[in-house]
Every structure is written in C-alpha cells, then in structure tokens.
Amino acid sequence: MMEKELLIEFLTNGGLTIPRLLIENYSELGLNEEQCLMVIHIYSFIKEGNTFPTPDELARRMSCDSSQCSNHLRMLVQSGFLEIKQEKDRSVYTESYSLDPLWERLISLKFLTKNTETKMEQED
Amino acid sequence: MMEKELLIEFLTNGGLTIPRLLIENYSELGLNEEQCLMVIHIYSFIKEGNTFPTPDELARRMSCDSSQCSNHLRMLVQSGFLEIKQEKDRSVYTESYSLDPLWERLISLKFLTKNTETKMEQED
Amino acid sequence: MMEKELLIEFLTNGGLTIPRLLIENYSELGLNEEQCLMVIHIYSFIKEGNTFPTPDELARRMSCDSSQCSNHLRMLVQSGFLEIKQEKDRSVYTESYSLDPLWERLISLKFLTKNTETKMEQED
Amino acid sequence: MMEKELLIEFLTNGGLTIPRLLIENYSELGLNEEQCLMVIHIYSFIKEGNTFPTPDELARRMSCDSSQCSNHLRMLVQSGFLEIKQEKDRSVYTESYSLDPLWERLISLKFLTKNTETKMEQED
C-alpha cells in the first residue's frame, strides 16, 4: 500500500527537469556548485508551487546552514541572477523569486557564442 | 523581447515528462491512441494546476469535438482508469480527476510481468 | 532484487520528456491522435538509440497493426512531418528518421502566432 | 537558420531530467554540493552516451580543476556511491561508470524512512 503510493509518486513526479543550459554553463557564468545547486532548489520549489522558499527550507536540503543560505541568496540577487518580485493583491504584498534574469543570461551566452562561432567560420 | 520570453518558456517549461510505462503499455491495457492522448492531456492539465479540465478544454487540443471528449471521459471512468474525486471545503464541493487507478494498473502490469518472467526463467 | 532494478529503471529512465509544443498543437497542424502518438513513439525510439524503428516495432506499442503503421509512416513523410535521412559509412547505407521538419513547423506556428498577436495588440 | 537549429535542440534535448530523490536527499547521504553536482554531470554524460567521462571533461563544466575532479571521483567510488564497471569485448577492456549504488541507497533511505514513519504512526 505504502509502496504503491511511493511508486506512483516516483512515476508521475519522480523527475525534475532542469535546463541543460544551466548544468553545462553555470561555471562559465561565474557560479560555483553551491550557488548552482541553490538555483536548482529554488527552481524546484517554484515548480512545486512554493515561489518564495525561506533560507530554512533551502538549508534543510543543503549541506550549508540557514545563514549561509541567506548569504547565497543575497549574492544571487546582487549579481543579477535572481529577482525578487513584489505583487500587491488587495493590500496584501506577496514576494516571489524569479530566475528569469539567469535564464536570459544563459540564453545570451549560448546565442552570442554560437553567432560568434558562425561568424568566425565564415571569415576563415 | 517577445522571443526572449518564448525562449525562457521553452527552457523552463518546454517539456512534459510522461511516464514511459504509459507510452509503452497503453495498448496492452486496451486503450487506443485517442484515449491515451486524452490521458496525456488530463495529466498535462493537472500538472499545470487545472485538475478538472472540461470536455471543451480537452477538445481544443484534440482532433475530436467536445461531445466525443465527454464520451471518452465517461469511458475512462467506467473502465476504471480515471477517478473523479470530490472534496468539500467549507460547504463548497470541488471535483478533480485522479489518474492513480491507471498508474496502479500499469505498475501491476509491469511488476507481474517481470515476476512471471523471473519465475519462468528459474523454472527453465 | 528484481524490484530494486525496476525501481532504479523507474528513477533514472522512467520519464519521457516530450515537447509541450507537440502535445498542445498537433491538432492545429492537422495531425490526429494516432499520428501524434506515432510521432511520440518514433521520438522515444530515437532517444533510446533506435533511429529507424520498423512498422513492426511501432505496431507492438500501438493499437494498429504493422501495415497500418506503414501507412501512417508514409503519410507523415508525404506531408512533410517526418524525414528519412540516408548516410553512407564505408559503402554501407543506413537510414534514420528525423522529426526536425515537424519541430520546425511547430516553432513557426508558435512564433508566427505570437508575432501576429503582438502586432494586432499594437494596432488596437 | 542557426537559431532554428538551436531552438530544435532546446525543444527536443533542452532538459535534463534528474531524480528528485537525489536533489532532495543528497545532503542526508553526506554529499555536499560539489559532489552532488559531479554526480549530476556524470549522470548527464552517461545519458548522452559518454559512460566514462574524464576528470578533464568534468572539470570543463565545473568550478574545480581536473585534479580536484579526480579527488571527488575517488571519494565517490570509495564511499560506495559510484561504481566502475569493466567489460571485456574481444580482448578490449572498456570501463564505464554506474551510479546504481547511489540510486540503491537513495531508494533504501526513502523506503526505510517511510516504513518507519508508518510504523511509528501505527504505534501512536
């Protein structure tokens, strides 16, 4: 019984699909492994519907503690990889994270590289 | 600008991950392609947060019309592949689809087959 | 033992990621559910390394028989959704399927639609 | 032209699907972020058909250099997360990595935890 539920969970929600662009290019953007995995955790939380995970929630899945997670979050925001969006719904403010700035940078990186390569090939 | 948003959408939400068990075994369960794709659409709607898509919403993505979609839905429920769950939240009833009965059947199919194969190999 | 292997298989290869563009727009391209699922099967075979599945292999996963699969394949090629690529490697010809024509059409559909929408919004 | 190919690549191979079990539990297994991301890179290389990536290939995607990658690889093998498999094909030995030991541990972790929880709930 228990096992059947776990199997269904495995089957229908067992995989997290991450953009290859991130996995293959984070170090080129200057991110290290802790920062990249923090990004993956934030991405995963957002997909599950939690758009503003706390440092505590992140720390529970990571090898660093809550205050180190706060530092990483601050660094990601300051370096322009992560954005905090504020929305007002009937006098209630809600905050959520957006990784769009990171995706934009990765897309630029890829397209610029490709175009430069093409140009250089043509010049040869 | 427009394109950048589309690219981010592609990158972060461009793929729908479907259990291989379904794709590879639906016909063995007696489902045809229309029924299997209806299942895939329901699965996709649920993932996007719409847990009770209407026949109209399904028809807009399919080659059959709204009343044929209703028939398919009825058939899927009657054959025990699809379940309608009712929840009451403060005197408001909400309905949602669950595909758990289908996943259970696919899991049984796979595990039974495998175990039978093992048994037969041992008997040889 | 048996179960552990199945679980690992579920975990690492249990999902097939299909472009949402296909699922959400095949009917707009004029494909019906049988044709769309045939595309999904071909896509899945290619991902597994079998780049030229036979009508027999396709029929084993579908509700139609081998000769109907041949017809569907012919139709997909004639309508410009599927391409057969020939490669010569040391006097040996190999054939493989490419779904690139289909992806190009889906991309055009999406980008054209979006651009038209944008234009119309601007004109209002 | 260039862009169309990139878009097709995004669409059909843009995502890497990683078991959530790994993302959500690596730290509980004693892995840190560098080790977890090394696992993800190995997993990704295997999926692409390169079953024995070199420290150099790994270092090109990571923030650590080739010799640090060697150390991480050694640690992963010694701690029983990663296995090196040798196969002999016509007097030629080939080596490949297998992450099965890691997946087995994650599965045990999940199932044991769940069963203990169930047991404790029953005892209450």
Side-chain angles (χ1 to χ4, degrees), chain D residues 8-117:
Chain D
I8 293 181
E9 175 69 17
F10 268 25
L11 209 59
T12 60
N13 200 28
L16 176 70
T17 304
I18 300 170
R20 277 184 188 279
L21 264 188
L22 174 65
I23 304 293
E24 293 171 11
N25 299 284
Y26 67 87
S27 73
E28 207 168 328
L29 282 189
L31 294 171
N32 64 24
E33 278 68 26
E34 267 193 21
Q35 292 157 345
C36 176
L37 253 167
M38 171 156 276
V39 164
I40 292 174
H41 289 303
I42 295 170
Y43 180 74
S44 170
F45 274 113
I46 292 175
K47 288 257 168 190
E48 292 165 44
N50 179 354
T51 58
F52 202 66
T54 63
D56 254 16
E57 288 173 314
L58 290 161
R60 241 168 276 144
R61 295 190 179 179
M62 297 185 74
S63 74
C64 49
D65 66 22
S66 171
S67 83
Q68 286 168 311
C69 283
S70 294
N71 288 339
H72 281 311
L73 285 169
R74 201 175 307 120
M75 175 270 161
L76 287 172
V77 172
Q78 281 168 357
S79 314
F81 293 112
L82 184 66
E83 201 183 340
I84 298 178
K85 293 201 164 175
Q86 293 191 315
E87 267 179 62
K88 196 183 170 180
D89 185 25
R90 295 183 205 168
S91 80
V92 180
Y93 279 97
T94 54
E95 291 183 305
S96 63
Y97 286 122
S98 165
L99 287 163
D100 283 1
L102 172 63
W103 308 131
E104 287 191 24
R105 283 222 224 168
L106 283 165
I107 289 168
S108 300
L109 185 79
K110 190 76 176 183
F111 276 81
L112 279 174
T113 316
K114 277 285 170 187
N115 288 336
T116 315
E117 278 171 15

Side-chain angles (χ1 to χ4, degrees), chain A residues 18-19 21 27 31 34 51 60 64 69 77 86 120:
Chain A
I18 300 170
L21 265 189
S27 73
L31 294 170
E34 266 193 23
T51 58
R60 242 169 274 145
C64 49
C69 283
V77 172
Q86 293 191 315
M120 287 170 73

Side-chain angles (χ1 to χ4, degrees), chain A residues 103-120:
Chain A
W103 308 130
E104 287 191 24
R105 282 223 224 167
L106 283 165
I107 288 168
S108 300
L109 185 78
K110 190 76 176 184
F111 275 81
L112 279 174
T113 315
K114 279 286 170 187
N115 288 338
T116 316
E117 277 170 17
T118 319
K119 217 182 149 191
M120 287 170 73

Side-chain angles (χ1 to χ4, degrees), chain B residues 6-77:
Chain B
L6 259 182
L7 282 174
I8 292 180
E9 174 69 17
F10 269 23
L11 210 60
T12 59
N13 200 29
L16 176 69
T17 303
I18 300 170
R20 278 185 187 280
L21 265 187
L22 174 66
I23 305 292
E24 293 171 11
N25 299 285
Y26 67 86
S27 72
E28 208 168 328
L29 282 189
L31 293 171
N32 65 23
E33 278 69 26
E34 267 193 21
Q35 292 157 345
C36 175
L37 253 166
M38 172 156 277
V39 164
I40 293 174
H41 288 302
I42 295 170
Y43 180 74
S44 169
F45 273 112
I46 292 175
K47 289 255 168 190
E48 292 164 45
N50 178 354
T51 58
F52 202 65
T54 64
D56 254 16
E57 287 173 314
L58 290 162
R60 242 169 274 145
R61 295 190 180 179
M62 297 185 73
S63 73
C64 49
D65 66 21
S66 171
S67 83
Q68 287 167 312
C69 283
S70 294
N71 288 339
H72 282 309
L73 284 169
R74 201 175 308 121
M75 175 270 160
L76 287 171
V77 171

